[in-house]
Amino acid sequence: MEQYLMIMFRTIFFYVLILLFFRVMGKREIGELSILDLVVFVMIGEMAIVSIDNPKRPLIETIIPMVLLVLIQIGLAMLSLKSKRFRDLVDGKPTIIINKGKIDEQAMRKQRYNFDDLLTQLREKDIRSIADVEFAILESSGSLSVIEKINNPNGEPKEGDITIPLIIDGVIEEENLLRINKTNFWLRQELKKLGYRDIRKLSFCSYENGKFFVDIMDEQ
């Protein structure tokens, strides 16, 4: 009887403790979990299960590695916020699967993403035909973001565009400049005309339909 009570106590204890840990680590939707989040969550869950199955094991032997994992996750999350390169390494980059109505088969092969996957995720968004899609972007979380084609009043399709970041955290995204057939020099000159001379002070900059959107970093 005593053993069963101990199992019940440990189950409730770790349930509350894991909820507390997850709150400390920050809010995430299940589909937005990074690889770091997923690994930490799985390891913490496994540790809790092992401790519940073995009531004679001291709680502190499980709590210490759990706390260590949470601290590691928080530290790496802070590093991810400060370093775009580290963020791309861990989480990966979004991939444009359909670009202005054209399927990028090379991008699909690179992500090991097939047409069955594409059609399934389009159906989940109530899109019946690929012909209705202007852009489809495979996010780093694995979800598919879709922008449908816009029609003119006469019913003819209208070509749209998406926001492509050119600067993130003070770093120029050279790959995205190539997508819009622009150069590093062009970007710097255009930003100087708008009064932005120091790229490092810009947290975000995008170019869409001939217009810039610029956000300046908050002062620390």
Side-chain angles (χ1 to χ4, degrees):
M1 184 64 179
E2 183 180 349
Q3 183 177 1
Y4 293 132
L5 290 175
M6 181 61 68
I7 291 175
M8 291 172 62
F9 166 76
R10 287 183 173 234
T11 301
I12 296 172
F13 174 79
F14 281 115
Y15 174 76
V16 174
L17 185 64
I18 291 173
L19 282 179
L20 178 62
F21 284 160
F22 287 1
R23 290 289 292 170
V24 170
M25 288 188 290
K27 296 179 180 179
R28 294 283 194 282
E29 290 185 14
I30 296 300
E32 295 179 351
L33 293 180
S34 68
I35 295 176
L36 290 178
D37 295 327
L38 186 60
V39 170
V40 170
F41 290 177
V42 169
M43 290 184 69
I44 287 177
E46 287 293 327
M47 288 178 184
I49 291 171
V50 169
S51 184
I52 292 171
D53 285 342
N54 187 7
K56 294 182 180 180
R57 181 179 182 181
L59 282 174
I60 193 66
E61 291 185 6
T62 303
I63 294 174
I64 288 177
M66 278 185 169
V67 172
L68 179 60
L69 281 174
V70 171
L71 293 176
I72 291 173
Q73 196 274 345
I74 293 174
L76 293 178
M78 294 297 294
L79 178 60
S80 178
L81 285 174
K82 294 180 178 294
S83 173
K84 176 69 165 56
R85 183 174 298 178
F86 179 78
R87 192 160 62 242
D88 290 341
L89 177 65
V90 173
D91 296 335
K93 294 182 179 181
T95 302
I96 299 177
I97 300 298
I98 299 178
N99 189 358
K100 294 186 177 180
K102 176 69 173 68
I103 298 174
D104 190 336
E105 296 177 6
Q106 184 176 352
M108 290 179 65
R109 285 193 293 270
K110 186 176 179 180
Q111 297 298 322
R112 295 182 293 280
Y113 187 80
N114 57 51
F115 278 97
D116 288 334
D117 297 328
L118 176 60
L119 293 173
T120 297
Q121 290 191 289
L122 288 177
R123 285 194 297 270
E124 289 174 352
K125 296 182 178 295
D126 296 325
I127 296 174
R128 299 181 180 181
S129 173
I130 293 179
D132 296 330
V133 178
E134 185 78 358
F135 291 96
I137 304 166
L138 185 64
E139 306 291 355
S140 55
S141 64
S143 63
L144 189 71
S145 299
V146 179
I147 299 174
E148 296 184 68
K149 290 182 177 178
I150 304 171
N151 290 330
N152 284 315
N154 59 9
E156 294 180 358
K158 175 184 176 183
E159 195 173 88
D161 208 344
I162 59 172
T163 298
I164 296 180
L166 301 182
I167 297 174
I168 298 178
D169 294 335
V171 179
I172 295 177
E173 299 290 300
E174 300 287 352
E175 183 178 336
N176 290 341
L177 277 174
L178 291 175
R179 287 182 182 174
I180 62 173
N181 297 317
K182 302 295 183 181
T183 64
N184 188 305
F185 178 77
W186 170 85
L187 177 60
R188 291 178 181 274
Q189 291 299 110
E190 291 298 315
L191 290 176
K192 282 182 181 179
K193 293 177 185 178
L194 297 174
Y196 305 107
R197 296 185 175 275
D198 191 350
I199 300 293
R200 294 170 297 179
K201 293 183 178 180
L202 305 182
S203 62
F204 184 83
C205 171
S206 63
Y207 183 72
E208 181 181 352
N209 296 326
K211 295 182 180 180
F212 283 97
F213 171 82
V214 179
D215 184 72
I216 301 174
M217 288 184 182
D218 297 331
E219 294 186 4
Q220 301 294 331

